[in-house]
Amino acid sequence: MKIAFVGKGGSGKTTMASLFARRAVDTGHRVLAIDADINQHLAAALGVPESVAIGLPLLGDRLPEIKEYLRGDNPRISSPEAMVKTTPPGRGSRLLSLAEDDPLLSRVTTEVAGLRLAVTGGFAEGDLGVACYHSKVGAVELILNHLVDDAGEYVVVDMVAGAEAFASGLFTRFDRTFLVCEPTMRSVGVYRQYAGYAADYDVAISVIGNKVDDAEDVEFLREHVGAALFGWCGRSGYVKAAERGEPGPVTALEPENLALIDQARELVDNGRRDWDKFTRQARLFHRRNAEAWGNDRAGTDLADQIDSDFVMGPRSVVVS
């Protein structure tokens, strides 16, 4: 299943994403973790030393390579340059899997903490003042559009903060979105904005309260997010130690907080994968992006890249 962790900056979404991913690995599952946040803290939250983190391959820098591979022999895509962040797969496209020998993921991800880690990369010096971060996150959207994850596999994405994900169809690429929310008006405001934007697109959103001190905090969250509140985490000595560079085994997390992570995974597992909806929404946002800016940039109608007879999913043929 594909899972997103979103929320206000500083809410703890990166911490939650890392705990979910590490616990999934600990229980024997295959995991791809993706840092799609401009602040790029997921590697550290997973316990990756800074000396290793600075050498990780960056998806934003590998975008031409990613496009070249995913294009495959798809006759609807004239060249890698013709692909945009929303280009959906079709017959002839190369699809991705979490198998250890996947040709592309083995090059653009790194094995750390028992999982595969992909990082988008922040702004380089040459980007400052002239580049849009969404162009880098486009690599994540292309990967998710072409990824066939199987039962017992998880793709965990630490998303950009707030409502930045709505710059494209990226917010629809997930089977479950966990919005991490502090018991504050600012954090609740991010939930309302996110839920409002997503309301028309059948996005499954569950709120995890974080930094909850007492029953008053819980009641505040219930009052403002209602039935979307899935559970909550209290202040964590384990997390504080990890943020100081002393991460312990995930099983050392406080029992009540570890139970919440397990319940979140159970919620995901009990969800229903809808490949038809996944395909339909990919086409919708590709058409929108084509009309808004893509066609002018490409000098052609990018909607022609849509293969109406192709449905993404396990029954799709992977081109080697």
Side-chain angles (χ1 to χ4, degrees), residues 230-313:
F230 170 72
W232 55 89
C233 282
R235 302 279 179 174
S236 171
Y238 172 93
V239 170
K240 181 182 290 186
E243 291 178 345
R244 290 174 174 172
E246 303 171 2
V250 70
T251 50
L253 185 65
E254 294 84 3
E256 63 276 15
N257 291 337
L258 186 63
L260 177 66
I261 299 300
D262 287 340
Q263 290 161 11
R265 192 176 72 255
E266 183 178 354
L267 177 67
V268 170
D269 289 344
N270 290 335
R272 185 176 67 89
R273 162 60 56 79
D274 189 341
W275 285 112
D276 290 334
K277 181 182 78 171
F278 186 88
T279 302
R280 185 172 63 253
Q281 291 180 333
R283 294 171 182 168
L284 169 67
F285 283 98
H286 183 60
R287 288 192 182 96
R288 288 187 177 181
N289 278 264
E291 293 171 0
W293 58 268
N295 292 345
D296 288 342
R297 181 178 299 180
T300 187
D301 187 359
L302 294 180
D304 290 340
Q305 294 178 344
I306 296 173
D307 184 345
S308 59
D309 294 325
F310 178 90
V311 177
M312 184 64 171

Side-chain angles (χ1 to χ4, degrees), residues 125-143:
E125 184 175 351
D127 296 330
L128 299 179
V130 297
C132 173
Y133 186 66
H134 298 126
S135 63
K136 297 179 181 292
V137 179
V140 177
E141 189 163 359
L142 280 170
I143 286 173

Side-chain angles (χ1 to χ4, degrees), residues 181-188 214-226 229:
C181 189
E182 300 167 272
T184 67
M185 289 304 300
R186 287 181 61 195
S187 200
V188 164
D214 50 34
E216 185 177 343
D217 286 344
V218 175
E219 185 57 34
F220 176 89
L221 290 170
R222 283 191 175 129
E223 176 184 353
H224 289 280
V225 309
L229 182 62

Side-chain angles (χ1 to χ4, degrees), residues 13-19 21-22 32-58 108-122 133 156-159 238 242-248:
K13 66 180 180 62
T14 300
T15 297
M16 289 293 179
S18 68
L19 291 173
R22 291 179 61 204
L32 168 63
I34 303 178
D35 192 344
D37 190 351
I38 189 172
N39 293 312
Q40 300 287 285
H41 294 317
L42 184 58
L46 290 169
V48 179
E50 185 177 358
S51 59
V52 175
I54 60 175
L56 295 174
L58 306 179
V108 301
T109 67
T110 304
E111 292 279 348
V112 298
L115 51 77
R116 286 179 183 240
L117 173 63
V119 297
T120 304
Y133 186 66
V156 180
V157 183
D158 180 19
M159 290 283 282
Y238 172 93
E243 291 178 345
R244 290 174 174 172
E246 303 171 2

Side-chain angles (χ1 to χ4, degrees), residues 191-210:
Y191 161 73
R192 288 174 174 162
Q193 184 183 39
Y194 203 102
Y197 287 153
D200 294 333
Y201 299 99
D202 193 20
V203 175
I205 300 176
S206 297
V207 173
I208 295 179
N210 194 30

